[in-house]
Each structure stands twice: as C-alpha cells, then as structure tokens.
C-alpha cells in the first residue's frame, strides 16, 4: 500500500516509531468510540425493534458485542511498550480486521433497515450512515488501512441498500454518497501523511537537540573554549566548571562576577562593557587576562538573546577561546623574524627597517651615525677551536657590546661575525668614542670553555648627511670605512672619507673585469728558469701569471691577486694555471720541471686534487715533473686538512715545496709535520748574502737543516755572481733570479722543447720584470 511504501522509505527506527505511535494514538480514543457505537446501536434498536425480526436483532447485537470487546482488548494490547516490531505489525493487522468487521456490521445493518424504514426513519438512517462513514476518519485516522477499509465497506453496504430501494432519490443519494466516500478516502491518507511527517520531524529535531547537547558537552569538557552567559550588567550566570578552571577561580565565586573583572587592559574592558550594556553582538574580541599571575589571551564572541521569557535574566550568550598558545607562537615567529637566534640581538631585517625609517623621517639638522664592525680572523677561531666555541664567543661579545649601547641606540648582528650600531641625536656626536670603546672591549680576552680567546675587531664609521639619497648610501659608506679599516691592518677604526667610494667603484670594476678575463682569454703564463748550481743547467721553470687587459694594459699580480682571493675567483684562475702550465710543459724536454704556486683558497677547494689529476692525464706529463709551491700561511689555516691534501698529492708522485721559508712564525714545526721535497729560501736573505753575515748565517742554517732532512734548497732572487758564489759555498742546490733569466712568455725560450717537438705559434708579450705567485699574501717582486 501507499502508506507502507512511504514508511518503508524511512529508517528502521523511524518506521518503528510511527508504528508505535499509530497503535498508541488509536488506543486513546477506543473507549469513547465504543461508547458512541453502543448509544447508536440502542437508538436503532428502539426505533426499529418492531420492524426487524428478533433473530436479526440477536445476530446483529451479538456481532456488535464481539467486535466491541475485541476492539477494547486490542486497545489494551497496544498499551504494552515492550511489543516487538512483528507483534506491533500483527496488532495493527488485527485492528484493521476489527475495523472491517465494524464496517460490515453497520453497513449491513443500515442497508437492511432502509426497505422497512418510514420516510422519517430514512432521514435518521441517512444521518447514521454518513456519521458512521465519518467515524472512520476520526477513530482510525492514525491507521489509514483501517479507516479506508471502514469507508469502502460502509460505502458498499449503503449503496446496496439504496439500489434496493430504487427511485431517482436513491440514485441521487448514491451519487452524493460516492463523492462523500471519495473525500473521506483521500483524507484518510492525508491525515496519516501529516501524522507521519510530524513524528519524523519531531524525531529529527530531537536527534539534532541531542547531537547539539553532546557537542556542547564535549565542547565544554575537551576544547579550549567555554560557553558563558551574562546579564545586562555583564555579570556571569551559571559558569561551567571548565570556565572556572581556566580562569582559576572557584565556580561559586565566578557566578555573579562581572566578566570585565577578568580583563587587564582598561580599553578592552570599556569596549566589552559597551557591547554588553547596549546588547550589541560581537565576534572575536581579543582581550588580555590575568590568570594565576600570568598573562593569557582570550577571544570573546557573544550574541544578544531574544528570549523575553528567560527567567535567568540572560542578556547575552557567547563563547570564549583561549588563544594564548597561538599568541605565543605569533610572538615567537615575530621574534625570530626580527631577532638573531644566537645572540638575541636585532637581526639584519629589523636593523635595516629601523635605519630606513630613521633616515626617512630625519630632518636636515638631525644627527645619525652608523658603525659597522666585524671580528678579525674569526674563521681561524672556528677552524681551530670549533664552531661551538665560536658561537659562545659571539654571545659573549654581544653581551659586552650591550653595555656600550644606551637607550635609543640600536645594536644588531647583521651577519656571521658582523655587527652594526645605529646612533641618533646627541649620541651621534659620541660615535668616535663609541667606536674606540668597541675596539677596546672586544680586544679584552674572553674565557670560553677553558680557552683564553683574544679577538680583534675592525670598525667602520659613517655619518648621515641630508644630501644622501637614502639609507643604502649610508650603509655603503659605513661598509667602505670598514673595508678601509681592514686594509690598514685590522683591529682599528676608520671613518668614511671622500674618495673611498671612488676607490670602491674602481675595485668593483676591477672585479667585474677579472671575472670576465678568462672568458676573454686575457690571462697569460710567463716562465722563469730554475738552475742547478752544480751543472749550471736549467732544470725547470716556475709558472707566473700575467693579466693583459685591452684597456688597462698589463695588470700586475699585486693589483688583482688579492681581489681574486677575496671573491673566490682565485680557484677558477688557479685551475686554469694548472691546466695551462701542464699543457705547456708537455712540449718541453722531459727532464724539465714546472713549478706552480698554490693559494690558501685553492688548498681549501674540494676540486683541487681532481683538477690536478685530470690536468696530468690530459697533458701526459709525468707527476714527478710537477712541483707545487705553498707558503706557510696555507699551513696556518686548516693545517690538518691541508696536510692531508698535501699527502694525497705527494702520493701521486708530485713534488711539494715550501716557499718563502723563514719569513713565518712556525717554519720548523711545519717541516716536522710534513716531509717537503724542497725549501725555497726567501729573496730577502739572498739579496744581502754577500754583504751581511747574519743573512749568510741564516742561509747556512736553512741549507744545513734541509740537507739533514733530505730536502732540496732553492735560493730566490739571485741577481749577482757574488751571491751565486756564496750560495755555492754554503751548499745550495738550485737558484733562480734575473741573473739566469727573467720571467718571459713561452715563445721567448728556445730550450724548452726536445729536438723532435715543434713549438706552436705563441704570442710574445714583453712585460716588466715583476711577478707574483698566486697567493693571498702579497709577495715581493721577484727578479
């Protein structure tokens, strides 16, 4: 049936609910309905007692009694709550059969009385018949199967009686009866549909209410949010346990407490009071609260209530969320974005923002001074003592520097070991004294984990003037002054002066040209001969670098090697020198060696060994013909790592020479740490060997030391025969210098190749007799 299909489309629980309510609602009106039927039966019995046979009365009343008693019993059964679904369906079916029996009883009874009724009695029978048909809609409105069965059976019984009477009046009555029955039939379905809809809607509302209740309970018990209610005065009403616990106040104390009493900020209190007193809803109002002596952050949202019947006088309901963790996280992110994590000083970003703002707002007569400074040789501290010691040293320096800064100053760490100090107003007049104090304070020894560390600092100072374009220009001037302080020997203060920017621009242009020099094939190698003193024959050559610029002309190594070291270009230049020198040596006589200078930066390069190996393989030169010259400065920096690299190269068969021996501080220790093949005696001793006894004594000691260690000695800068005679007497093995030849281009020599090898066409470049090996330490001009 249609109703069954509608119910079948619902869930099991909804179906059971409707079935249960059908039986319950039907049972409520059964007793009244049975009583009304008894009254109707008595009236009919009195009016038609003599017109119907006694047997008919007995049969009819017997059937009436049975159906009424059954109906009362079924109503009693429907009150049982524990009925199963199958039992309820069976009970509903029996109610439907009972309704059909009642309809048969009344329909047949009225139909049988119609032929014997007087005209007045016909009117009474019509009223009773129509009333009984309507009874179905009222008595069985919750069970459409029963109400429709009643309506149809009554309609059939009454129609049969009217047809038996015949006549136009009867046919007219049948037509009216048909329309009446049709209306009742349709209404039976509509009434049940509304009944079922009300039940399911109510059930959904109940479920939603239960869900909301569960969510609210879970919300109050587990979330960092709390519900609250206040009256028109802002007093808390019915505070929940979670709210009281979060506020760290007894629940009974908080009831009646004004919510604004929890808030610290007066402006926030005033804002919240205004919203509450005016009944104005609001969302996400952030407030600062004092909880147990500590600061927390809450957001409050509330809505004014519209229920005028509320007996608790609640004016507003809302929710509070604890956002302390979020606020702390935001503060931490903001701190990390503007402060250095190691020293807790402002970082470059905050410093730059403050400097830009200060310069942008400055008036022409305002005073602004900027100090840039960084530590001298900080990398050596990291390399020798380790980065943890270096980090602690930076922290200790930051604490010392903070004692120099005053309110209004901005001290920042803007890089690894770089710091800046911004002075404004009257403090800018003290910039010179502050800069000197920085050098003095940083220069005091630091005790870092049982290490006595002494650090120097180079300081650059620049003052702002109203004709500067922006803060970047002030930064540039301070940086130039710092660069000048480093160039003047470090551990000192330098102030910006006119002309420094011109020199910086020139250096920048030199750097750009240097970067493009290899691509433009501007680099050249010249070679200076190395002579064996015993045989007076050339045994090899030292490769020396030249830069021939199309505009600058010949740029001497003194002018560009330092820039190459600082920019890292020295690695690329050094690799080119290694490949070029070995390719050139490949066309020489096989007994001739080639010497190449290595810089400290090259030694730290991870590609050094592979570059040399690939160059040897490409050129085919025997590794024994290659001699690498290093200075003491290389061993002073990352000595353990550099010594490992030297051993690797030595194992390949390459010869290692210690250049400029005697000019450093730890030469003897280096000779002990690595077995060099050769020691080169610096020209400063050789130049006066024939005139000064102390130089002769030093050279004698060096040669004796080398002989005892199995090392060869080479004297640099030999220019006179007298020097050669003294060196020969002392037992020196090899010499080089102007006396035997200056450094010249490859094409200038005729004894560099064997007889069966042709010399390619090589451009000849005539240069002054000055050359500097590739090294970070500026060397004296060689002969």
């Amino acid at each position: 049936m249609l109703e069954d299909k509608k119910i079948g489309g619902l869930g099991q629980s909804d179906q059971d609910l409707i079935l249960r309510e059908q039986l319950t609602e039907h049972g409520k009106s059964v007793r009244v309905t049975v009583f009304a039927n008894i009254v109707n039966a008595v009236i009919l019995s009195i009016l038609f007692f003599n017109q119907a046979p006694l047997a008919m009365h007995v049969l009819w009343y017997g059937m009436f009694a049975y159906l009424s008693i059954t109906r009362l019993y079924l109503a009693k059964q429907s009150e049982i709550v524990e009925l199963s679904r199958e039992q309820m369906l069976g009970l509903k079916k029996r109610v439907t059969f009972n309704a059909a029996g009642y309809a048969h009883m009344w329909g047949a009874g009225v139909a049988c009385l119609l032929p014997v009724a007087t005209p007045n009695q016909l009117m009474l029978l019509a009223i009773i018949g129509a009333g009984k048909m309507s009874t179905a809609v009222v008595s069985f409105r919750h069970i459409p199967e029963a109400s429709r069965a009643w309506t149809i059976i009554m309609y059939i019984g009454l129609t049969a009686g009217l047809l038996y009477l015949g006549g136009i009046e009867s046919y007219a009555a049948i037509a009216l009866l048909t329309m009446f029955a049709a209306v009742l039939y349709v209404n039976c379905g509509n009434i049940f549909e509304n009944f079922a809809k009300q039940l399911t809607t109510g059930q959904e509302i109940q479920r939603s209410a239960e869900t909301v209740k569960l969510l609210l309970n879970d919300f109050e018990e587990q979330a960092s949010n709390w519900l609250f209610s206040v009256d028109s005065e802002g007093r808390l009403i019915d505070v929940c346990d979670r709210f009281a616990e979060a506020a760290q106040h007894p629940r009974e104390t908080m009831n009646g407490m004004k919510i604004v009493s929890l808030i610290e900020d007066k402006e926030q209190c005033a804002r919240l009071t205004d919203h509450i007193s005016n009944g104005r809803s609001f969302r996400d109002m952030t407030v600062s609260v004092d909880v147990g002596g500590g600061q927390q952050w809450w957001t409050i949202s509330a809505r004014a209530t519209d229920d005028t019947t509320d007996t608790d006088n609640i004016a507003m309901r809302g929710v509070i969320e604890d956002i302390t963790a979020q606020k702390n996280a935001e503060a931490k992110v903001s701190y990390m974005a503007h402060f250095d994590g190691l020293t807790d000083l402002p970082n470059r970003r905050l410093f730059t923002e403050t400097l830009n703002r200060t310069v942008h707002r400055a008036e022409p007569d305002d005073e602004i001074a900027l100090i840039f400074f960084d530590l001298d040789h900080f990398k050596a501290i990291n390399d020798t003592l380790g980065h943890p010691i270096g980090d602690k040293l930076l922290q200790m320096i930051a604490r010392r520097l903070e004692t120099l800064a005053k309110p209004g100053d901005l001290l920042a760490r803007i890089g690894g070991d770089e710091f800046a100090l911004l002075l404004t107003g009257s403090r800018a007049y003290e910039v010179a004294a502050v800069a000197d104090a920085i050098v003095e304070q940083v220069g005091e020894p630091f005790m870092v984990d049982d290490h006595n560390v002494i650090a120097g600092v180079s300081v650059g100072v620049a003052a702002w003037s109203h004709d500067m374009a922006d803060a970047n220009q002030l930064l540039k001037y301070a940086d130039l002054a710092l660069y000048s302080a480093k160039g003047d020997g470090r551990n000192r203060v330098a102030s910006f002066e006119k002309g420094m920017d011109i020199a910086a621009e020139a250096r920048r242009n030199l750097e750009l040209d240097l970067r493009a020099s290899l691509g433009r094939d501007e680099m050249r190698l010249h070679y200076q001969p190395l002579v064996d003193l015993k045989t007076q024959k050339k045994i090899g050559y030292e490769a020396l670098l030249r830069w021939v610029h199309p505009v600058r002309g010949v740029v001497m190594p003194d002018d560009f090697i330092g820039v190459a070291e600082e920019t890292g270009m020295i690695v690329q230049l050094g690799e080119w020198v290694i490949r070029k020198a070995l390719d050139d040596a490949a066309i020489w006589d096989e007994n001739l060696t080639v010497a190449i200078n290595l810089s400290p930066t090259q030694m730290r390069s991870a590609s050094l060994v592979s570059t040399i190996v690939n160059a040897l393989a490409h050129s085919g030169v025997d590794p024994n013909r290659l001699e690498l010259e290093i200075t003491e400065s290389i061993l002073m920096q990352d000595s353990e790592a550099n010594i490992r690299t030297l051993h690797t190269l030595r194992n390949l068969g390459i010869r290692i020479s210690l250049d400029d021996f005697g000019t450093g501080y730890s030469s003897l220790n280096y000779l002990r740490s690595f077995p060099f093949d050769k020691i080169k005696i610096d020209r400063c001793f050789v130049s006066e060997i024939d005139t000064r006894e102390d130089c002769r004594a030093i050279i004698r000691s060096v040669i004796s030391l080398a002989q005892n260690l199995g090392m060869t000695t080479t004297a640099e800068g030999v220019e006179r025969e007298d020097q050669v005679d003294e060196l020969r007497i002392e037992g020196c093995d090899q010499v080089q210098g102007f006396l035997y030849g200056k450094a010249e281009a490859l094409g200038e020599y005729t004894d560099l190749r064997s007889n069966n090898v042709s010399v390619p066409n090589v451009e000849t470049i005539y240069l002054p007799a000055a050359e500097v090996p590739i090294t970070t330490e500026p060397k004296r001009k060689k002969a």
Side-chain angles (χ1 to χ4, degrees):
M1 296 181 67
L2 182 60
E3 287 73 22
D4 292 333
K5 292 181 180 179
K6 291 179 179 179
I7 295 176
L10 301 174
Q12 185 73 38
S13 59
D14 288 337
Q15 294 181 30
D16 291 345
L17 172 67
I18 293 174
L19 188 56
R20 174 75 266 176
E21 291 298 318
Q22 281 181 296
L23 297 174
T24 301
E25 292 298 324
H26 170 71
K28 291 179 180 178
S29 61
V30 165
R31 292 177 178 82
V32 176
T33 303
V34 170
F35 177 75
N37 276 285
I38 293 174
V39 171
N40 290 334
V42 170
I43 292 174
L44 284 179
S45 178
I46 294 174
L47 292 177
F48 293 93
F49 184 78
N50 295 323
Q51 293 168 279
L54 180 61
M56 181 179 176
H57 283 280
V58 173
L59 178 62
W60 191 85
Y61 275 108
M63 186 177 180
F64 176 77
Y66 169 77
L67 291 173
S68 297
I69 294 172
T70 302
R71 190 172 186 184
L72 290 171
Y73 172 77
L74 293 175
K76 191 69 175 176
Q77 289 293 108
S78 65
E79 295 176 0
I80 302 176
V81 180
E82 294 81 6
L83 293 176
S84 65
R85 176 178 176 79
E86 289 72 16
Q87 290 174 325
M88 288 191 292
L89 288 172
L91 187 58
K92 177 181 174 182
K93 186 179 295 185
R94 292 173 65 186
V95 169
T96 302
F97 285 139
N98 182 265
Y102 255 109
H104 278 95
M105 178 193 74
W106 282 106
V110 173
C112 291
L113 293 176
L114 284 175
V116 297
T118 63
N120 291 331
Q121 289 175 331
L122 284 174
M123 184 183 298
L124 178 63
L125 288 175
I127 294 173
I128 291 175
K132 287 302 170 184
M133 287 184 69
S134 302
T135 299
V137 179
V138 178
S139 300
F140 299 99
R141 62 185 181 276
H142 302 109
I143 305 176
E145 297 89 345
S147 62
R148 283 172 173 170
W150 180 291
T151 301
I152 293 171
I153 293 171
M154 282 292 299
Y155 169 76
I156 293 172
L158 294 177
T159 300
L162 291 172
L163 288 173
Y164 180 79
L165 285 177
I168 189 65
E169 293 84 359
S170 296
Y171 299 142
I174 291 173
L176 293 174
L177 183 65
T178 301
M179 289 187 291
F180 184 55
V183 171
L184 291 178
Y185 186 91
V186 173
N187 282 338
C188 289
N190 292 337
I191 292 172
F192 170 74
E193 185 177 347
N194 292 333
F195 167 72
K197 186 179 294 185
Q198 289 177 358
L199 284 179
T200 54
T201 301
Q203 185 72 358
E204 288 177 2
I205 293 174
Q206 183 178 354
R207 288 171 184 163
S208 298
E210 290 176 353
T211 302
V212 170
K213 185 176 180 181
L214 288 173
L215 290 174
L216 289 177
N217 290 338
D218 183 69
F219 179 80
E220 291 190 350
E221 291 176 4
Q222 300 183 22
S224 58
N225 308 56
W226 318 286
L227 301 176
F228 74 95
S229 304
V230 294
D231 61 14
S232 58
E233 300 296 324
R235 289 186 290 265
L236 291 166
I237 298 172
D238 193 19
V239 175
C240 65
D241 293 334
R242 289 267 298 138
F243 188 7
E245 180 182 351
Q248 295 187 13
H249 287 287
R251 184 170 179 270
E252 55 275 10
T253 303
M254 291 189 68
N255 283 317
M257 177 191 296
K258 285 196 172 184
I259 190 172
V260 294
S261 64
L262 301 172
I263 302 174
E264 294 180 318
D265 188 86
K266 292 183 179 179
E267 183 178 345
Q268 295 171 354
C269 288
R271 240 179 343 130
L272 182 57
T273 301
D274 178 61
H275 280 293
I276 294 175
S277 60
N278 290 288
R280 189 166 54 245
S281 301
F282 59 92
R283 288 180 60 83
D284 298 331
M285 180 185 294
T286 301
V287 297
S288 172
V289 295
D290 180 9
V291 177
Q295 186 187 46
Q296 290 190 8
W297 292 91
W298 294 351
T299 58
I300 305 177
S301 302
R303 180 180 295 277
T305 59
D306 298 326
D307 190 358
T308 56
T309 63
D310 195 331
T311 58
D312 293 331
N313 297 320
I314 295 176
M316 301 191 83
R317 300 180 190 272
V319 62
I320 298 175
E321 180 181 3
D322 185 352
I323 61 168
T324 305
Q326 177 184 337
K327 275 285 188 178
N328 291 339
E330 291 173 356
K332 185 176 181 180
V333 170
S334 177
Y335 179 85
M336 292 173 65
H338 294 92
F339 287 85
D340 175 51
L342 179 64
T343 62
D344 288 330
L345 295 177
N347 60 12
R348 177 185 287 273
R349 177 180 177 182
L350 179 57
F351 180 82
T352 303
E353 290 175 353
T354 305
L355 178 62
N356 287 333
R357 186 167 55 251
T358 302
V359 170
H360 179 72
R361 297 176 178 177
E363 299 294 334
D365 56 346
D366 286 349
E367 295 294 331
I368 302 172
L370 180 60
I371 303 176
F372 264 13
F373 51 100
D374 64 15
L375 305 183
D376 297 332
H377 307 298
F378 180 69
K379 184 179 184 306
I381 296 174
N382 271 339
D383 293 341
T384 54
L385 301 179
H387 288 278
I389 297 296
D391 289 346
K392 290 182 180 180
L393 176 63
L394 289 174
Q395 292 173 334
M396 297 173 71
I397 289 175
R399 301 292 80 79
R400 278 195 190 177
L401 293 174
E402 283 178 331
T403 63
L404 300 176
K406 294 184 178 180
D409 300 345
L410 179 61
L411 173 65
R413 181 191 179 201
I414 59 175
D417 62 335
E418 299 175 338
F419 296 84
L421 180 60
L422 179 63
L423 306 177
T424 57
S426 61
R427 281 283 286 168
Y429 292 107
E430 305 173 19
V431 63
V434 173
D436 290 337
I438 290 173
V439 175
E440 180 182 353
Q441 287 289 326
V442 176
E444 292 292 326
F446 293 87
M447 185 59 64
V448 187
D449 289 355
D450 299 328
H451 295 283
N452 188 27
V453 181
I454 299 177
V457 63
S458 298
V459 182
V461 177
W464 178 79
S465 60
H466 69 278
D467 60 342
M468 289 185 181
D470 52 28
N472 289 331
Q473 191 170 357
L474 180 60
L475 287 168
K476 176 182 176 182
Y477 286 174
D479 191 48
L480 289 172
L482 174 59
Y483 183 78
S484 176
K486 292 179 179 179
D488 291 342
R490 301 179 182 269
N491 199 36
R492 64 191 63 222
V493 178
S495 298
F496 175 78
E497 298 176 358
K498 294 294 184 181
M500 285 184 178
D501 52 341
I502 299 175
E505 185 65 25
R507 182 187 181 281
R508 173 62 176 164
N509 292 333
L510 178 66
E511 178 184 334
L512 294 175
D513 286 346
L514 183 60
R515 291 187 181 278
S517 62
L518 288 178
R520 295 196 293 241
D521 194 25
E522 295 173 357
M523 291 296 170
R524 300 288 185 272
L525 282 184
H526 285 203
Y527 296 95
Q528 186 173 34
L530 181 66
V531 178
D532 186 295
L533 268 181
K534 293 179 181 180
T535 63
Q536 288 294 303
K537 291 183 178 180
K538 295 178 181 179
I539 59 175
Y541 292 84
E542 180 179 358
L544 299 166
L545 188 61
R546 297 288 186 269
W547 179 15
V548 182
H549 190 273
V551 177
R552 300 174 186 272
V554 177
V555 183
M556 300 307 295
D558 280 335
D559 296 327
F560 71 85
I561 291 298
V563 175
E565 279 282 354
E566 292 176 11
T567 60
M569 272 291 295
I570 194 67
V571 174
Q572 187 177 357
L573 286 173
E575 292 177 352
W576 179 85
V577 170
I578 292 170
R579 291 192 296 267
K580 177 62 176 171
L582 287 174
D583 286 344
D584 288 346
I587 62 174
W588 300 352
D589 188 283
E590 293 183 354
N591 295 322
L592 295 175
T593 63
V594 59
I596 301 173
N597 292 275
L598 293 182
S599 73
T601 304
Q602 280 182 279
M603 284 296 297
R604 291 193 296 270
S605 173
S607 63
L608 174 63
V609 175
S610 61
T611 299
I612 294 174
V613 170
N614 291 333
L616 286 170
H618 179 268
S619 64
V621 173
D622 192 316
N624 288 322
R625 295 178 59 196
L626 175 60
E627 185 176 294
L628 300 176
E629 297 183 5
I630 68 168
T631 59
E632 296 177 23
S633 61
I634 289 180
L635 297 179
M636 291 176 63
Q637 303 176 23
D638 298 325
S639 58
E640 292 184 5
N642 286 334
I643 287 175
R644 286 196 299 270
T645 302
L646 291 175
H647 277 292
T648 300
L649 295 171
R650 179 75 176 279
N651 292 335
L652 294 174
I654 300 170
R655 299 167 60 83
I656 309 296
S657 299
L658 181 59
D659 198 9
D660 299 340
F661 182 76
T663 60
Y665 299 98
S666 306
S667 298
L668 295 178
N669 184 49
Y670 297 142
L671 291 178
R672 183 176 61 86
S673 64
F674 183 80
F676 289 93
D677 296 287
K678 179 190 292 187
I679 297 175
K680 299 189 73 173
I681 303 172
D682 191 79
R683 69 181 59 230
C684 68
F685 304 116
V686 175
S687 62
E688 296 182 281
I689 188 175
D690 55 342
T691 59
R692 292 182 55 172
E693 181 60 34
D694 56 348
C695 290
R696 189 180 301 114
I698 292 173
I699 291 176
R700 182 184 305 119
S701 300
V702 172
I703 293 173
S704 175
L705 176 64
Q707 289 174 345
N708 291 330
L709 294 176
M711 300 178 185
T712 303
T713 53
T714 299
E716 296 182 291
V718 177
E719 300 178 355
R720 301 186 300 276
E721 286 288 349
D722 292 342
Q723 294 171 336
V724 175
D725 294 338
E726 292 293 339
L727 291 169
R728 186 181 290 112
I729 293 171
E730 298 300 339
C732 184
D733 300 308
Q734 303 168 359
V735 292
Q736 69 181 95
F738 268 17
L739 183 63
Y740 295 97
K742 64 180 181 179
E744 291 183 322
L746 185 64
E748 294 297 301
Y749 291 105
T750 59
D751 57 350
L752 288 173
R753 63 190 189 281
S754 61
N755 294 330
N756 59 353
V757 177
S758 62
V759 178
N761 184 21
V762 180
E763 178 185 2
T764 301
I765 302 172
Y766 298 94
L767 299 173
E771 55 277 337
V772 176
I774 303 176
T775 175
T776 51
E777 296 183 344
K779 296 186 63 176
R780 299 150 307 287
K781 293 183 180 180
K782 291 186 177 182

